[in-house]
Coordinates of all heavy atoms in Angstrom, one line a residue:
M1 N 137.0 137.6 46.3 CA 136.4 136.6 45.5 C 135.2 137.2 44.8 O 134.4 137.9 45.4 CB 136.0 135.3 46.3 CG 135.3 134.3 45.5 SD 134.6 132.9 46.5 CE 136.0 132.4 47.5
R2 N 135.0 136.8 43.5 CA 133.8 137.2 42.8 C 133.0 135.9 42.5 O 133.5 134.9 42.2 CB 134.2 137.9 41.5 CG 134.8 139.3 41.8 CD 135.2 140.0 40.5 NE 134.1 140.1 39.6 CZ 133.0 141.0 39.6 NH1 133.0 141.9 40.6 NH2 132.1 141.1 38.7
L3 N 131.7 136.2 42.5 CA 130.7 135.1 42.1 C 129.8 135.5 41.0 O 129.5 136.7 40.8 CB 129.9 134.8 43.4 CG 130.7 134.3 44.6 CD1 129.7 134.1 45.8 CD2 131.4 133.0 44.4
R4 N 129.3 134.5 40.4 CA 128.2 134.6 39.4 C 127.0 133.8 39.9 O 127.2 132.6 40.2 CB 128.6 134.2 38.0 CG 127.5 134.2 37.0 CD 127.9 133.7 35.6 NE 128.9 134.6 35.0 CZ 130.2 134.1 34.7 NH1 130.5 132.8 34.9 NH2 131.1 134.9 34.3
V5 N 125.8 134.4 39.9 CA 124.6 133.6 40.2 C 123.7 133.6 39.0 O 123.6 134.6 38.3 CB 123.9 134.3 41.4 CG1 123.4 135.7 41.2 CG2 122.7 133.4 41.9
E6 N 123.2 132.5 38.8 CA 122.1 132.3 37.7 C 120.9 131.7 38.4 O 121.0 130.8 39.2 CB 122.6 131.3 36.6 CG 123.9 131.7 36.0 CD 124.4 130.6 35.0 OE1 123.6 130.0 34.3 OE2 125.6 130.4 35.1
F7 N 119.7 132.3 38.1 CA 118.5 131.8 38.8 C 117.3 131.9 37.9 O 117.2 132.7 37.0 CB 118.3 132.6 40.1 CG 117.9 134.0 39.9 CD1 116.6 134.4 39.9 CD2 118.9 135.0 39.8 CE1 116.2 135.7 39.7 CE2 118.5 136.3 39.6 CZ 117.2 136.7 39.5
T8 N 116.3 131.1 38.3 CA 114.9 131.2 37.8 C 114.0 131.0 39.0 O 114.3 130.3 39.9 CB 114.6 130.2 36.7 OG1 114.9 128.9 37.3 CG2 115.5 130.3 35.5
T9 N 112.8 131.5 38.8 CA 111.7 131.2 39.8 C 110.5 130.6 39.0 O 110.3 130.9 37.8 CB 111.3 132.5 40.5 OG1 110.7 133.4 39.5 CG2 112.4 133.2 41.3
E10 N 109.8 129.8 39.8 CA 108.6 129.1 39.2 C 107.4 129.3 40.1 O 107.6 129.5 41.3 CB 108.9 127.6 39.0 CG 110.0 127.4 38.0 CD 110.3 125.9 37.8 OE1 109.4 125.1 37.8 OE2 111.5 125.6 37.7
P11 N 106.2 129.2 39.6 CA 105.8 128.7 38.3 C 106.0 129.8 37.2 O 105.9 131.0 37.6 CB 104.3 128.3 38.5 CG 103.9 129.2 39.6 CD 105.1 129.4 40.5
F12 N 106.1 129.3 36.0 CA 106.3 130.2 34.9 C 104.9 130.7 34.4 O 103.9 130.0 34.6 CB 106.9 129.5 33.7 CG 108.3 129.1 33.9 CD1 108.7 127.8 33.9 CD2 109.3 130.1 34.1 CE1 110.0 127.4 34.2 CE2 110.6 129.7 34.3 CZ 111.0 128.4 34.3
D13 N 104.8 131.8 33.8 CA 103.6 132.4 33.1 C 104.2 133.0 31.9 O 104.9 134.0 32.0 CB 102.9 133.3 34.0 CG 101.6 133.8 33.4 OD1 101.5 133.8 32.2 OD2 100.7 134.3 34.1
L14 N 103.8 132.5 30.7 CA 104.3 133.0 29.5 C 103.6 134.3 29.0 O 104.1 135.0 28.2 CB 104.2 132.0 28.4 CG 105.1 130.7 28.6 CD1 104.9 129.7 27.5 CD2 106.6 131.1 28.8
D15 N 102.5 134.6 29.6 CA 101.7 135.8 29.3 C 102.3 137.0 29.9 O 102.3 138.1 29.3 CB 100.2 135.7 29.5 CG 99.6 134.6 28.6 OD1 100.1 134.4 27.5 OD2 98.7 133.9 29.1
E16 N 102.6 136.9 31.2 CA 103.1 138.1 31.9 C 104.0 137.5 33.1 O 103.8 136.4 33.6 CB 102.1 139.0 32.5 CG 101.1 138.4 33.5 CD 100.1 139.4 33.9 OE1 99.1 139.6 33.2 OE2 100.3 140.0 35.0
A17 N 104.9 138.3 33.5 CA 105.8 137.9 34.6 C 105.0 137.8 35.9 O 104.4 138.8 36.3 CB 107.0 138.9 34.7
P18 N 105.1 136.7 36.6 CA 104.4 136.6 37.8 C 105.0 137.4 38.9 O 106.2 137.8 38.8 CB 104.5 135.1 38.2 CG 105.5 134.5 37.2 CD 105.7 135.5 36.2
G19 N 104.3 137.7 40.0 CA 104.8 138.6 41.0 C 106.1 138.1 41.6 O 107.0 138.9 41.8
H20 N 106.3 136.8 41.8 CA 107.6 136.3 42.4 C 108.8 136.6 41.5 O 109.9 136.9 42.0 CB 107.5 134.9 42.8 CG 107.1 134.0 41.6 ND1 108.1 133.5 40.7 CD2 106.0 133.4 41.2 CE1 107.5 132.8 39.8 NE2 106.2 132.7 40.1
A21 N 108.5 136.5 40.2 CA 109.6 136.8 39.3 C 110.0 138.3 39.2 O 111.1 138.7 39.2 CB 109.2 136.4 37.8
V22 N 109.0 139.2 39.3 CA 109.1 140.6 39.4 C 110.0 141.0 40.6 O 111.0 141.8 40.6 CB 107.8 141.4 39.3 CG1 108.0 142.8 39.6 CG2 107.1 141.1 38.0
V23 N 109.6 140.4 41.8 CA 110.3 140.6 43.0 C 111.7 140.2 42.9 O 112.6 140.9 43.3 CB 109.6 139.9 44.2 CG1 110.4 139.8 45.4 CG2 108.2 140.6 44.5
A24 N 112.0 139.0 42.4 CA 113.3 138.4 42.3 C 114.2 139.4 41.4 O 115.3 139.7 41.8 CB 113.3 137.0 41.8
R25 N 113.7 139.8 40.3 CA 114.4 140.7 39.4 C 114.7 142.0 40.1 O 115.8 142.6 39.9 CB 113.7 140.9 38.1 CG 113.6 139.6 37.3 CD 112.7 139.8 36.1 NE 112.6 138.6 35.4 CZ 111.7 138.3 34.4 NH1 110.9 139.3 34.1 NH2 111.6 137.2 33.9
E26 N 113.8 142.5 40.8 CA 114.0 143.8 41.5 C 115.1 143.7 42.5 O 115.9 144.6 42.7 CB 112.6 144.3 42.1 CG 112.8 145.7 42.7 CD 113.1 146.8 41.7 OE1 112.9 146.6 40.5 OE2 113.6 147.8 42.2
V27 N 115.1 142.6 43.3 CA 116.1 142.3 44.3 C 117.5 142.4 43.6 O 118.4 143.0 44.0 CB 115.9 141.0 45.0 CG1 117.2 140.6 45.8 CG2 114.7 141.1 45.9
I28 N 117.6 141.7 42.5 CA 118.9 141.6 41.8 C 119.3 143.0 41.2 O 120.4 143.4 41.3 CB 118.9 140.6 40.7 CG1 118.8 139.2 41.4 CG2 120.1 140.6 39.8 CD1 120.0 138.8 42.3
R29 N 118.3 143.7 40.6 CA 118.6 145.0 40.0 C 119.0 146.0 41.0 O 119.8 146.9 40.7 CB 117.4 145.5 39.2 CG 117.2 144.8 37.9 CD 116.0 145.4 37.2 NE 115.8 144.8 35.9 CZ 114.6 144.5 35.3 NH1 113.5 144.8 36.0 NH2 114.6 143.9 34.2
T30 N 118.5 145.9 42.2 CA 118.8 147.0 43.2 C 120.0 146.6 44.1 O 120.4 147.4 44.9 CB 117.6 147.3 44.1 OG1 117.1 146.1 44.7 CG2 116.5 147.8 43.2
A31 N 120.5 145.3 44.0 CA 121.6 144.9 44.8 C 122.9 145.5 44.3 O 122.9 146.0 43.1 CB 121.7 143.4 44.8
D32 N 123.9 145.5 45.1 CA 125.2 146.0 44.8 C 126.0 145.0 43.9 O 127.0 144.5 44.4 CB 126.0 146.5 46.0 CG 127.3 147.2 45.6 OD1 127.4 147.7 44.6 OD2 128.2 147.2 46.5
L33 N 125.5 144.7 42.7 CA 126.1 143.7 41.8 C 126.5 144.3 40.5 O 126.1 145.4 40.1 CB 125.0 142.6 41.6 CG 124.5 141.9 42.9 CD1 123.4 140.9 42.5 CD2 125.7 141.1 43.5
D34 N 127.3 143.6 39.8 CA 127.7 144.0 38.4 C 127.1 143.1 37.4 O 126.7 142.0 37.7 CB 129.3 143.8 38.3 CG 130.0 144.5 39.5 OD1 129.6 145.6 39.9 OD2 131.0 143.9 40.0
A35 N 127.1 143.5 36.2 CA 126.7 142.7 35.0 C 125.4 142.0 35.2 O 125.3 140.8 35.0 CB 127.9 141.7 34.7
V36 N 124.4 142.7 35.6 CA 123.1 142.1 35.8 C 122.4 141.9 34.5 O 122.4 142.8 33.7 CB 122.2 143.0 36.7 CG1 120.8 142.4 36.8 CG2 122.8 143.0 38.1
D37 N 121.9 140.7 34.2 CA 121.1 140.4 33.0 C 119.9 139.6 33.4 O 119.9 138.5 33.8 CB 122.0 139.6 32.1 CG 121.3 139.3 30.7 OD1 120.4 140.0 30.3 OD2 121.7 138.2 30.1
V38 N 118.7 140.3 33.2 CA 117.5 139.6 33.5 C 116.7 139.3 32.2 O 116.8 140.0 31.2 CB 116.6 140.4 34.5 CG1 117.2 140.6 35.7 CG2 116.2 141.8 33.8
G39 N 116.1 138.1 32.2 CA 115.4 137.7 30.9 C 114.2 136.9 31.3 O 114.0 136.5 32.5
P40 N 113.4 136.5 30.3 CA 112.1 135.7 30.6 C 112.4 134.3 31.1 O 111.6 133.7 31.8 CB 111.4 135.7 29.3 CG 112.5 135.9 28.3 CD 113.5 136.7 28.9
F41 N 113.5 133.7 30.8 CA 113.8 132.3 31.2 C 115.0 132.1 32.1 O 115.3 131.0 32.4 CB 113.9 131.4 29.9 CG 112.6 131.4 29.1 CD1 112.7 132.1 27.9 CD2 111.5 130.9 29.6 CE1 111.5 132.2 27.2 CE2 110.4 130.9 28.8 CZ 110.3 131.5 27.6
G42 N 115.6 133.2 32.4 CA 116.8 133.1 33.3 C 117.4 134.4 33.6 O 117.2 135.3 32.8
N43 N 118.1 134.5 34.7 CA 118.7 135.8 35.1 C 120.1 135.5 35.6 O 120.4 134.4 36.2 CB 117.9 136.3 36.2 CG 116.4 136.4 35.8 OD1 116.0 137.2 35.1 ND2 115.6 135.4 36.4
T44 N 121.0 136.4 35.4 CA 122.4 136.2 35.9 C 122.9 137.6 36.5 O 122.4 138.6 36.1 CB 123.4 135.8 34.8 OG1 123.4 136.8 33.8 CG2 123.0 134.5 34.2
A45 N 123.8 137.4 37.4 CA 124.4 138.6 37.9 C 125.8 138.2 38.5 O 126.0 137.1 38.9 CB 123.6 139.2 39.1
E46 N 126.7 139.2 38.6 CA 128.0 139.0 39.1 C 128.3 140.1 40.1 O 127.8 141.2 40.0 CB 129.1 139.0 38.0 CG 128.9 138.0 36.9 CD 130.0 138.1 35.8 OE1 130.9 139.0 35.9 OE2 129.8 137.4 34.8
G47 N 129.2 139.7 41.0 CA 129.7 140.7 42.0 C 130.6 140.1 43.0 O 131.0 138.9 42.9
R48 N 130.9 140.9 44.0 CA 131.7 140.5 45.1 C 131.0 139.4 45.8 O 129.7 139.4 45.9 CB 132.0 141.7 46.1 CG 132.8 142.8 45.5 CD 133.0 143.9 46.6 NE 131.9 144.0 47.6 CZ 130.8 144.7 47.4 NH1 130.5 145.3 46.2 NH2 129.9 144.7 48.3
A49 N 131.6 138.4 46.4 CA 131.0 137.3 47.1 C 130.0 137.7 48.1 O 128.9 137.2 48.2 CB 132.1 136.4 47.7
D50 N 130.4 138.7 49.0 CA 129.5 139.1 50.0 C 128.2 139.7 49.5 O 127.1 139.5 49.9 CB 130.1 140.0 51.0 CG 130.7 141.3 50.4 OD1 131.0 141.3 49.2 OD2 130.8 142.3 51.1
A51 N 128.3 140.5 48.4 CA 127.1 141.1 47.7 C 126.2 140.1 47.1 O 125.0 140.1 47.2 CB 127.5 142.1 46.8
V52 N 126.8 139.1 46.4 CA 126.0 138.0 45.8 C 125.3 137.2 46.8 O 124.1 136.9 46.7 CB 126.9 137.1 44.9 CG1 126.2 135.9 44.4 CG2 127.4 137.9 43.7
I53 N 126.0 136.8 47.9 CA 125.4 136.0 48.9 C 124.3 136.7 49.6 O 123.2 136.1 49.8 CB 126.5 135.5 49.9 CG1 127.4 134.5 49.2 CG2 125.8 134.9 51.2 CD1 128.6 134.2 50.0
A54 N 124.5 138.0 49.9 CA 123.4 138.8 50.5 C 122.2 138.9 49.5 O 121.0 138.8 49.9 CB 123.9 140.2 50.9
A55 N 122.4 139.1 48.2 CA 121.4 139.2 47.3 C 120.6 137.9 47.2 O 119.4 137.9 47.0 CB 121.9 139.7 45.9
V56 N 121.3 136.8 47.2 CA 120.7 135.5 47.1 C 119.8 135.2 48.3 O 118.7 134.7 48.1 CB 121.7 134.3 46.9 CG1 121.1 133.0 47.1 CG2 122.3 134.4 45.5
D57 N 120.3 135.6 49.4 CA 119.4 135.4 50.7 C 118.1 136.2 50.5 O 117.1 135.7 50.7 CB 120.3 136.0 51.9 CG 119.4 135.9 53.1 OD1 119.0 134.8 53.6 OD2 119.1 137.0 53.7
T58 N 118.2 137.5 50.1 CA 117.1 138.3 49.9 C 116.2 137.8 48.8 O 114.9 137.8 49.0 CB 117.5 139.8 49.7 OG1 118.3 140.2 50.8 CG2 116.3 140.7 49.5
L59 N 116.8 137.4 47.7 CA 116.0 136.9 46.6 C 115.2 135.7 47.1 O 114.0 135.6 46.7 CB 117.0 136.5 45.5 CG 116.4 135.9 44.3 CD1 117.2 136.3 43.0 CD2 116.3 134.4 44.3
L60 N 115.8 134.7 47.7 CA 115.1 133.5 48.2 C 113.9 133.9 49.1 O 112.8 133.5 48.9 CB 116.0 132.6 48.9 CG 117.0 131.9 48.0 CD1 118.0 131.1 48.9 CD2 116.3 130.9 47.1
R61 N 114.1 134.7 50.1 CA 113.2 135.1 51.1 C 112.0 135.8 50.4 O 110.8 135.4 50.6 CB 113.7 135.9 52.2 CG 114.7 135.2 53.1 CD 115.4 136.2 54.1 NE 116.5 135.5 54.7 CZ 116.3 134.7 55.8 NH1 115.2 134.5 56.3 NH2 117.4 134.2 56.4
R62 N 112.3 136.8 49.6 CA 111.2 137.6 49.0 C 110.5 136.9 47.9 O 109.3 137.1 47.8 CB 111.8 138.9 48.5 CG 112.3 139.8 49.7 CD 112.4 141.3 49.6 NE 111.3 141.8 48.9 CZ 111.5 142.8 48.0 NH1 112.7 143.3 47.7 NH2 110.4 143.3 47.3
S63 N 111.1 136.1 47.0 CA 110.4 135.5 46.0 C 109.6 134.4 46.6 O 108.4 134.2 46.1 CB 111.4 135.0 44.9 OG 112.3 134.0 45.4
L64 N 110.0 133.7 47.6 CA 109.1 132.6 48.2 C 107.9 133.3 48.8 O 106.8 132.8 48.8 CB 109.9 131.8 49.2 CG 111.0 130.9 48.5 CD1 111.9 130.3 49.6 CD2 110.3 129.8 47.7
E65 N 108.1 134.4 49.5 CA 107.0 135.1 50.1 C 106.0 135.6 49.1 O 104.8 135.7 49.4 CB 107.5 136.3 50.9 CG 108.3 135.9 52.2 CD 109.0 137.1 52.9 OE1 108.9 138.2 52.3 OE2 109.5 136.9 53.9
A66 N 106.5 135.9 47.9 CA 105.7 136.4 46.8 C 105.0 135.3 46.0 O 104.4 135.6 45.0 CB 106.5 137.3 45.9
G67 N 105.2 134.0 46.4 CA 104.5 133.0 45.7 C 105.3 132.0 44.9 O 104.7 131.1 44.3
A68 N 106.6 132.2 44.9 CA 107.4 131.2 44.1 C 107.3 129.8 44.8 O 107.3 129.7 46.0 CB 108.8 131.6 44.1
T69 N 107.1 128.8 44.0 CA 107.0 127.4 44.5 C 108.4 126.7 44.3 O 108.6 125.6 44.8 CB 105.9 126.6 43.8 OG1 106.2 126.6 42.4 CG2 104.6 127.2 44.1
R70 N 109.2 127.3 43.5 CA 110.6 126.7 43.3 C 111.5 127.8 42.8 O 111.1 128.7 42.0 CB 110.5 125.7 42.1 CG 111.8 125.1 41.8 CD 111.6 124.1 40.7 NE 112.6 123.0 40.8 CZ 112.6 121.9 40.3 NH1 111.6 121.6 39.4 NH2 113.5 121.0 40.4
V71 N 112.7 127.8 43.4 CA 113.7 128.7 43.0 C 115.0 127.9 42.6 O 115.4 127.2 43.5 CB 114.1 129.8 44.1 CG1 115.2 130.7 43.6 CG2 112.9 130.6 44.5
S72 N 115.4 128.0 41.4 CA 116.5 127.2 40.9 C 117.7 128.2 40.8 O 117.5 129.3 40.2 CB 116.3 126.5 39.6 OG 115.2 125.6 39.7
L73 N 118.8 127.8 41.4 CA 120.0 128.8 41.3 C 121.3 128.0 41.3 O 121.4 126.9 41.7 CB 120.0 129.9 42.3 CG 120.1 129.5 43.8 CD1 121.5 129.5 44.2 CD2 119.3 130.5 44.6
Q74 N 122.2 128.7 40.6 CA 123.6 128.1 40.5 C 124.5 129.3 40.8 O 124.3 130.4 40.3 CB 123.8 127.6 39.1 CG 125.2 127.1 38.9 CD 125.3 126.3 37.6 OE1 124.5 125.7 37.1 NE2 126.5 126.6 36.9
V75 N 125.5 129.0 41.7 CA 126.5 130.0 42.0 C 127.8 129.5 41.6 O 128.2 128.3 42.0 CB 126.4 130.3 43.5 CG1 127.6 131.4 43.9 CG2 125.1 130.9 43.9
N76 N 128.6 130.3 40.9 CA 129.9 129.9 40.5 C 130.9 130.9 40.9 O 130.7 132.1 40.8 CB 130.0 129.8 38.9 CG 129.2 128.7 38.4 OD1 128.0 128.8 38.2 ND2 129.7 127.5 38.2
V77 N 132.1 130.4 41.2 CA 133.3 131.3 41.5 C 133.8 131.8 40.1 O 134.0 131.0 39.2 CB 134.3 130.6 42.3 CG1 135.6 131.6 42.4 CG2 133.8 130.2 43.6
I78 N 134.0 133.1 40.0 CA 134.6 133.6 38.7 C 136.1 133.7 39.0 O 136.6 134.4 39.9 CB 134.1 135.1 38.4 CG1 132.6 135.0 38.3 CG2 134.7 135.6 37.2 CD1 131.9 136.4 38.2
P79 N 136.9 133.0 38.1 CA 138.3 133.0 38.3 C 138.9 134.4 38.2 O 138.4 135.2 37.3 CB 138.8 132.1 37.1 CG 137.7 131.3 36.8 CD 136.5 132.1 37.0
E80 N 139.8 134.7 39.1 CA 140.5 136.0 39.0 C 141.4 136.1 37.8 O 141.9 135.1 37.3 CB 141.3 136.3 40.3 CG 140.3 136.4 41.5 CD 141.1 136.7 42.7 OE1 142.1 137.4 42.6 OE2 140.6 136.3 43.8
E81 N 141.6 137.3 37.3 CA 142.4 137.4 36.1 C 143.8 136.9 36.2 O 144.4 136.4 35.2 CB 142.4 138.9 35.6 CG 141.1 139.3 35.1 CD 141.2 140.8 34.6 OE1 142.3 141.3 34.3 OE2 140.1 141.4 34.6
D82 N 144.4 136.9 37.3 CA 145.7 136.4 37.6 C 145.7 134.8 37.7 O 146.8 134.3 38.0 CB 146.4 137.1 38.7 CG 145.8 136.8 40.1 OD1 144.8 136.0 40.1 OD2 146.3 137.3 41.0
G83 N 144.6 134.2 37.5 CA 144.5 132.7 37.6 C 144.2 132.1 39.0 O 144.2 130.9 39.1
K84 N 144.1 133.0 40.0 CA 143.8 132.4 41.3 C 142.4 132.1 41.6 O 141.5 132.5 41.0 CB 144.2 133.5 42.4 CG 145.7 133.7 42.4 CD 146.1 134.7 43.5 CE 147.5 134.9 43.5 NZ 148.0 135.9 44.4

């Protein structure tokens, strides 16, 4: 199974990325994931279910420790090419 995760961390700072956002992005960039896209207002990544779940666990723990007061995320199953 493959999953897609979309996430944001708060509070926002439009002048520079807060520490919790930097930590969250680093977690995703260094995880064993595919198609990572980070941006100022949202981030997405795709990968094997076990890799996405492990990355989300680390992302939550580390970004909260770094000062995030809210983490919003959505996880979707990516349909396999054969329709399963």
Side-chain angles (χ1 to χ4, degrees):
M1 176 185 309
R2 291 183 51 80
L3 300 175
R4 175 182 298 117
V5 62
E6 301 174 43
F7 70 92
T8 59
T9 61
E10 295 178 40
F12 294 115
D13 183 339
L14 296 177
D15 294 326
E16 65 180 80
H20 58 80
V22 173
V23 165
R25 291 174 186 167
E26 185 63 21
V27 166
I28 292 300
R29 284 185 177 138
T30 60
D32 186 21
L33 301 172
D34 308 320
V36 174
D37 182 25
V38 297
F41 299 109
N43 309 283
T44 61
E46 297 178 7
R48 295 179 332 275
D50 60 335
V52 170
I53 291 168
V56 166
D57 176 65
T58 303
L59 179 146
L60 289 171
R61 293 173 190 277
R62 295 205 39 222
S63 62
L64 292 169
E65 289 170 358
T69 58
R70 178 183 213 162
V71 179
S72 300
L73 62 91
Q74 179 172 319
V75 178
N76 294 86
V77 173
I78 300 172
E80 295 183 30
E81 290 183 22
D82 64 1
K84 292 182 182 177

